[in-house]
Amino acid sequence: MKLGFIGTGALSSAIVTGLKTLPGDTTSVILSPRNEAIAAGLAARFADVTVAADNQAVLDASDMVMLGVRPQIARDVLPGLRFRPDHHVVSLIATFSCAEIAAMVGPVKRLTKALPMPMIAIRKGPTILFPPDPEVAAFFGRLGNAIEVTSESEFDALSVATATYASYFKYLETIHGWLKDHGVEENKGRDYVSSLSAALGQAPETTPESFAHLAADYATRGGINEQVLRELTEHGTFERLKESLGGIHRRITAAS
Ligand SMILES: NC(=O)c1ccc[n+]([C@@H]2O[C@H](COP(=O)([O-])OP(=O)(O)OC[C@H]3O[C@@H](n4cnc5c(N)ncnc54)[C@H](OP(=O)(O)O)[C@@H]3O)[C@@H](O)[C@H]2O)c1
């Protein structure tokens, strides 16, 4: 496959890194020249990765084209490019509906929306896909976990969950900061919290039980987990989180 990228920024770079560190991968990757430093760095690091002269040259050399530009740049740039009917376009642009992208890529018949996360660079994490497409599912399945959905509203709802990363790290930072304030050496505390979060992250994969069941399992009656859970619940922490998710959902659906 000849895989082009329009926009070589953080997400495109993560996808190329995940792909090209796969043992035996032979995909030809053609990058647009912006960002110049990122594109040149990827081309220097990996075989079969080249930087095209401009965006049109990316399209001309590709079968599948990933759109990795920000929304406003997409509006400015895509309508001026000559897409072919046989191009398979995969849009990474979080806020655009399929209809909006279709309007910008002319004769293209095959269009998929994909929402990976940055950890795709180490082939971890989910990528949401709409509409289902076996080739794109196989591509992202090699780079983590491909989650196909059959409606754009389900895609939008799932994409709300991608707004929680920063708060997740703030939660870990709060625990780490508390440990430091109580005499735990900084690196030791970081190692401990990282290892703890990695281990807890595995727990749902070891059981078919619901998250509610896991929370109940870990909250031994009268124990310290039960106390923190009860106090955070009483403070409205989880209701606030739900309100924030609702706000993100309204923002995403209004944008698309
Ligand atoms: N990062 C994520 O985790 C993530 C997750 C989900 C979805 N997305 C979506 O993915 C898209 C890219 O996000 P990103 O985080 O990778 O953004 P980014 O790091 O800003 O990358 C966008 C790239 O587009 C380049 N660019 C600017 N003008 C261009 C042009 N005329 N032609 C070609 N390329 C041009 C920029 O180059 P310069 O640096 O030279 O301006 C930049 O390298 C966005 O639409 C975003 O919604 C991102």
Side-chain angles (χ1 to χ4, degrees):
M1 179 178 47
K2 293 179 181 135
L3 174 63
F5 285 84
I6 302 293
T8 311
L11 189 55
S12 299
S13 170
I15 295 170
V16 173
T17 303
L19 177 69
K20 284 302 176 186
T21 49
L22 258 176
D25 179 77
T26 55
T27 312
S28 293
V29 172
I30 308 103
L31 302 172
S32 63
R34 280 183 70 175
N35 175 283
E36 195 181 335
I38 298 175
L42 290 168
R45 184 173 169 201
F46 299 117
D48 301 321
V49 176
T50 54
V51 184
D54 55 29
N55 290 330
Q56 188 58 51
V58 173
L59 295 190
D60 295 346
S62 308
D63 317 311
M64 184 185 281
V65 186
M66 298 210 178
L67 307 179
V69 284
R70 296 193 172 200
Q72 190 49 50
I73 301 290
R75 281 197 189 90
D76 294 345
V77 165
L78 298 181
L81 296 174
R82 293 183 305 282
F83 285 87
R84 299 190 310 267
D86 64 308
H87 272 134
H88 183 173
V89 168
V90 178
S91 173
L92 307 169
I93 305 165
T95 52
F96 281 171
S97 67
C98 280
E100 282 173 298
I101 300 151
M104 288 184 267
V105 297
V108 168
K109 293 186 173 62
R110 199 165 162 204
L111 176 62
T112 311
K113 275 191 3 166
L115 188 51
M117 63 179 299
M119 297 295 278
I120 197 167
I122 56 164
R123 296 189 295 284
K124 297 271 186 212
T127 296
I128 316 165
L129 300 173
F130 173 79
D133 182 291
E135 193 185 353
V136 184
F139 178 88
F140 284 105
R142 291 165 73 213
L143 306 183
N145 191 9
I147 310 270
E148 296 183 285
V149 300
T150 51
S151 74
E152 215 147 11
S153 61
E154 196 179 8
F155 185 99
D156 286 346
L158 280 170
S159 61
V160 169
T162 68
T164 60
Y165 306 160
S167 306
Y168 171 76
F169 288 120
K170 181 67 187 173
Y171 176 85
L172 298 187
E173 193 265 333
T174 304
I175 300 170
H176 184 215
W178 190 93
L179 293 175
K180 265 195 302 188
D181 291 347
H182 288 78
V184 177
E185 193 266 316
E186 174 148 6
N187 287 336
K188 196 177 289 174
R190 192 186 185 285
D191 286 350
Y192 183 76
V193 173
S194 303
S195 177
L196 201 67
S197 91
L200 288 173
Q202 299 287 309
E205 291 172 18
T206 65
T207 167
E209 301 293 358
S210 67
F211 294 114
H213 192 103
L214 278 169
D217 261 4
Y218 279 73
T220 310
R221 191 186 292 266
I224 58 177
N225 269 271
E226 186 198 49
Q227 181 177 336
V228 173
L229 177 60
R230 186 183 64 249
E231 288 172 2
L232 290 179
T233 305
E234 285 169 359
H235 280 106
T237 311
F238 303 108
E239 281 307 310
R240 287 276 167 80
L241 175 60
K242 265 162 73 174
E243 283 169 22
S244 282
L245 296 177
I248 298 299
H249 192 228
R250 286 189 291 282
R251 182 171 156 187
I252 286 175
T253 49
S256 62

